[in-house]
Amino acid sequence: MGGVTARIDDTEGSKKYKYLDIQNGLPQTTSDAIGDLMEIEDATNTLYGIFFQETLRPNDRTTIDVGFRYDRNNFDIQNTEYSSYNWGTGTYVDNGVPVITNTDTTFNMFSPKLGISYAVNDVFNVYGMIAESGQVPSESELQSNPSLDAAKARNMEIGLKGRAKDWSMDLSLYQTTVQDEIVSVLASPFSTEFQNAGETLKKGLELSGRMRLNNYFWLGTGYAYSDYKFEDFIEYIRVFGVLTPFDRTGNQIPYVPKHQFNLSLEFNHPAGYKARLQANSWGEYYTDNSNDQIYGGYDFLTSLMLGYEKGPHSLTLNIDNVFDKRFAIEVKGVGADASYSAGAPRTAMLSYTYKF
């Protein structure tokens, strides 16, 4: 299998304005009324690439997958800034003369892959994979730091799959080495900058299983262990307006819990009734690159699905955060400068589907 891909994202005349009514700095506004024009931007992102994949079966038990992908990604961003916001003083600052910046950056990404799977018997398969991939900065990340490089990752993974009539299981062990990973740095409680880390090492284990309890019920569970560290990273932080280096080598990568767990119970009846109850737990994780503060995560965030199917008709009710738990999806920063992205409260959605 092979093919080509091409995409152009073009934005013309994107404008940013001041808030007209502010008090004591931008965090306090009395309305969303538009003030003076701050900046105007034209941006074009062009992507094209080629890919192929070949599957070989040298015998009845062995499958080999070989793949390759090449992508060329260009960012052309032209920005004219008339004023900016100073987070330190909490005021807008006029530039006097418009500041014009042009960013024209191209990334060439190569992504080869080799995977081998072997059927030990009718129930178990073992597999191994090695692959390389790249991640280009987003447009907003390049605007924050035009000198960003693309991240390059090499992943090695081995695993075991089991499939039987009344149970299934998946186990995988992986190690990913990333060069120039793009990491976020809190420049202030309200603004984020982006830098490249020299090298990060991500090691982990993922285990999931499913077991039939009787004719109608299935019990499922999953666990993930993640040990993500900076192998080489000098973080630059503005201290009294001066970029100051801090060595984060050996620290854990923030926002990644070491332990994640889920438990589920499924119900399926031949008459068309179905249900699924699932609870997810996230362990604690560091909230900044310095590892100065830990967020405790959350336990047993529960969702429920109730449904009925008959012929072409399907009626489903999904309820997320059943117990209306208060939790944060992500926490960044330390102490009084920490910012919290609140998780959604209890939500429910009823849907009906008719299949022609």
Side-chain angles (χ1 to χ4, degrees):
M1 180 181 66
V4 297
T5 181
R7 187 187 77 228
I8 297 178
D9 297 325
D10 187 53
T11 303
E12 296 184 2
S14 175
K15 297 177 181 178
K16 181 179 179 180
Y17 294 89
K18 298 178 181 179
Y19 282 101
L20 183 62
D21 304 310
I22 63 171
Q23 293 180 345
N24 304 320
L26 190 56
Q28 298 184 30
T29 68
T30 59
S31 76
D32 288 332
I34 294 176
D36 295 334
L37 178 66
M38 293 183 66
E39 64 181 61
I40 186 169
E41 179 181 282
D42 297 327
T44 303
N45 176 213
T46 305
L47 169 70
Y48 61 86
I50 59 173
F51 65 91
F52 77 86
Q53 180 170 315
E54 177 70 19
T55 299
L56 307 173
R57 292 183 175 87
N59 55 54
D60 292 341
R61 292 179 177 271
T62 307
T63 302
I64 301 174
D65 289 316
V66 181
F68 175 81
R69 184 181 183 98
Y70 165 75
D71 292 290
R72 184 178 178 87
N73 202 326
N74 174 260
F75 290 89
D76 186 2
I77 306 171
Q78 300 180 21
N79 183 280
T80 302
E81 183 184 79
Y82 302 98
S83 61
S84 61
Y85 186 82
N86 188 307
W87 294 97
T89 62
T91 59
Y92 291 111
V93 179
D94 291 326
N95 295 336
V97 177
V99 177
I100 300 174
T101 57
N102 295 317
T103 302
D104 190 351
T105 304
T106 300
F107 300 97
N108 297 295
M109 308 303 299
F110 299 89
S111 304
K113 173 186 175 181
L114 173 64
I116 300 176
S117 176
Y118 178 75
V120 179
N121 51 40
D122 293 338
V123 175
F124 290 103
N125 284 61
V126 294
Y127 70 91
M129 180 189 69
I130 182 170
E132 292 187 359
S133 63
Q135 177 188 356
V136 301
S138 67
E139 183 179 318
S140 61
E141 290 169 345
L142 276 176
Q143 288 174 311
S144 168
N145 183 0
S147 63
L148 283 174
D149 292 323
K152 302 177 183 64
R154 173 174 291 179
N155 179 56
M156 294 181 290
E157 181 178 343
I158 58 173
L160 173 68
K161 294 178 180 288
R163 298 291 184 269
K165 179 182 177 182
D166 295 326
W167 60 270
S168 65
M169 60 85 63
D170 292 272
L171 170 66
S172 66
L173 301 168
Y174 65 88
Q175 175 175 300
T176 305
T177 303
V178 185
Q179 302 289 337
D180 295 324
E181 178 154 3
I182 301 169
V183 298
S184 61
V185 177
L186 279 179
S188 76
F190 308 103
S191 66
T192 301
E193 297 179 353
F194 298 91
Q195 299 172 13
N196 287 115
E199 181 178 310
T200 58
L201 180 62
K202 304 177 180 181
K203 297 184 291 184
L205 174 150
E206 295 179 356
L207 175 64
S208 63
R210 193 166 175 261
M211 180 178 65
R212 184 192 297 272
L213 299 179
N214 55 36
N215 290 336
Y216 308 129
F217 287 93
W218 285 80
L219 179 67
T221 186
Y223 170 75
Y225 171 79
S226 306
D227 183 15
Y228 292 10
K229 288 184 178 180
F230 294 115
E231 291 290 290
D232 178 18
F233 179 34
I234 303 298
E235 180 182 25
Y236 288 87
I237 299 177
R238 296 185 184 277
V239 179
F240 302 110
V242 179
L243 280 177
T244 305
F246 293 87
D247 190 357
R248 307 305 190 196
T249 301
N251 285 7
Q252 293 285 325
I253 297 177
Y255 327 127
V256 180
K258 276 196 171 183
H259 305 281
Q260 299 176 56
F261 178 77
N262 68 74
L263 186 66
S264 65
L265 182 65
E266 296 179 43
F267 170 78
N268 285 281
H269 194 277
Y273 298 100
K274 59 182 180 179
R276 178 181 176 87
L277 183 69
Q278 178 165 326
N280 298 320
S281 298
W282 269 45
E284 62 184 23
Y285 58 84
Y286 291 104
T287 63
D288 69 335
N289 296 324
S290 65
N291 291 180
D292 287 333
Q293 185 165 308
I294 294 177
Y295 174 62
Y298 53 82
D299 296 319
F300 299 107
L301 184 65
T302 306
S303 61
L304 174 66
M305 182 276 292
L306 300 172
Y308 176 73
E309 289 187 24
K310 185 174 183 180
H313 305 278
S314 176
L315 186 66
T316 305
L317 173 65
N318 287 286
I319 304 175
D320 294 325
N321 195 359
V322 172
F323 301 107
D324 204 21
K325 181 185 291 287
R326 302 299 194 260
F327 70 103
I329 296 177
E330 185 179 74
V331 181
K332 293 183 176 181
V334 177
D337 291 337
S339 63
Y340 294 78
S341 299
R346 181 192 300 120
T347 57
M349 182 177 69
L350 181 67
S351 62
Y352 167 77
T353 303
Y354 180 84
K355 297 180 180 179
F356 294 95

